[in-house]
Amino acid sequence: LLTGKGLGAVLSIVYLALATRSLGVETFGTFTLILSTAQAVAALVAFQTWQIVVRFGMAHRESGDAGALSRLIRFCLALDIGGALLGIAIAAVALWLMQAHFGWSAALAWQAFGFAVILLLSVRSTAVGILRLHDRFAVGAAADSVTSISRFVGAIIAVWQGATLTGFLIAWAAAEVLTALGYWISAARVAPHALGRWRGVSAAPAENPGIWHFAFVTNVNSTLNAASRQFAVVLVGLLTGAAAAGNYRLAYQLSQSLVRLADLFARGVFPEVTRAHAGQRPGELRLLVRQSAKL
């Protein structure tokens, strides 16, 4: 996990520097607003299904019930797709309002909407859950690093081709698609029969009591986390202009190294706590909780 995020941290400094210096303050601010709006909408409709897969799938995996696990995974993927479709409708309204507020051209508004559609449809949370359920953190870290590597390569190509806003939007959109492909290809190799046929998805809630409540809680948590990041960037842009939004986004992203480090520990601890709970090992569970509190 540290290797993947460490590489991403280094590359993010480079591609952000390329974007800011190539686009200029005002255009980079517009790029930031488009990116943050799409990410804010994605967080608003996301259910963090990787947590659902780990939380409820661990018991099925421990008991050897492959059918129930497969139905759970398909249910989570359906949540991802449903949320993405809802997000597309919300993004259309949000970007239309932003076009009117900032005076964007019709071409730019369509480009922003196209980027939002690609970002929302590049669902991968369920695939992340499959990898973490099977303790394949190294594989997941490799798939996650595709985002930073693709953005880095895309930023270089964009600069080489003239460094337009459209070029950077294409680069970031391509990174989202490639990352999703990386996760799903990895998940298919780790658990080739995880999805199976789509029949029986409706049985998942009955087989996993409390799943809707857990999904709602993870959605609220995702929205609150986004409120301190993407929503804040959009708010800064609406109140003070695109240039200020770009500067705020850059400063905020560079200041989040410690928060990301804590997030890495949480990603590894959550599956272990779930496994201890599923196996009814209270002593091990208490030890993991104490260790998590220290982290």
Side-chain angles (χ1 to χ4, degrees):
L1 288 173
L2 287 172
T3 301
K5 285 298 180 181
L7 175 64
V10 173
L11 292 180
S12 67
I13 295 174
V14 178
Y15 64 65
L16 281 175
L18 290 171
T20 52
R21 293 183 64 86
S22 301
L23 294 176
V25 176
E26 190 69 30
T27 306
F28 177 74
T30 301
F31 171 72
T32 295
L33 283 172
I34 295 171
L35 178 62
S36 296
T37 301
Q39 291 176 335
V41 173
L44 182 65
V45 299
F47 285 97
Q48 294 295 302
T49 49
W50 76 266
Q51 294 187 31
I52 301 175
V53 171
V54 174
R55 166 64 179 83
F56 295 94
M58 190 66 72
H60 298 316
R61 183 169 180 244
E62 293 287 316
S63 64
D65 193 344
L69 178 59
S70 179
R71 287 187 289 274
L72 172 66
I73 290 173
R74 294 196 299 271
F75 174 79
C76 289
L77 181 56
L79 281 181
D80 285 339
I81 296 173
L85 295 177
L86 175 61
I88 290 173
I90 296 174
V93 175
L95 290 170
W96 175 72
L97 293 174
M98 293 183 74
Q99 178 191 8
H101 181 80
F102 291 105
W104 293 347
S105 66
L108 177 58
W110 277 110
Q111 290 175 14
F113 179 67
F115 173 80
V117 170
I118 292 174
L119 185 145
L120 287 162
L121 290 179
S122 299
V123 294
R124 53 182 179 268
S125 185
T126 299
V128 173
I130 294 172
L131 295 178
R132 292 177 185 173
L133 180 66
H134 292 83
D135 296 321
R136 299 300 178 89
F137 290 97
V139 178
D144 196 46
S145 66
V146 172
T147 301
S148 299
I149 295 173
S150 300
R151 287 181 178 179
F152 172 71
V153 174
I156 292 176
I157 295 174
V159 172
W160 176 49
Q161 292 294 322
T164 64
L165 176 58
T166 302
F168 278 97
L169 286 175
I170 293 173
W172 260 241
E176 293 296 327
V177 174
L178 291 174
T179 302
L181 287 174
Y183 266 114
W184 280 109
I185 291 172
S186 300
R189 291 179 176 177
V190 169
H193 303 294
L195 286 176
R197 296 182 179 180
W198 278 90
R199 288 180 296 181
V201 177
S202 58
E207 294 174 335
N208 302 276
I211 191 171
W212 281 115
H213 175 74
F214 189 83
F216 173 75
V217 170
T218 60
N219 174 263
V220 172
N221 181 62
S222 173
T223 303
L224 291 176
N225 285 335
S228 64
R229 293 180 290 180
Q230 282 77 32
F231 286 126
V233 175
V234 175
L235 183 61
V236 169
L238 291 174
L239 295 177
T240 60
N247 291 332
Y248 176 83
R249 169 88 185 216
L250 184 62
Y252 181 85
Q253 189 160 342
L254 292 175
S255 70
Q256 290 301 294
S257 57
L258 291 178
V259 176
R260 290 172 184 166
L261 182 62
D263 182 57
L264 293 181
F265 286 113
R267 293 183 184 187
V269 167
F270 182 73
E272 292 303 321
V273 172
T274 305
R275 180 176 289 103
H277 182 269
Q280 298 298 316
R281 299 189 292 271
E284 181 181 345
L285 179 59
R286 285 194 295 270
L287 176 61
L288 284 168
V289 170
R290 286 197 298 269
Q291 291 173 339
S292 301
K294 291 178 181 179
L295 293 175

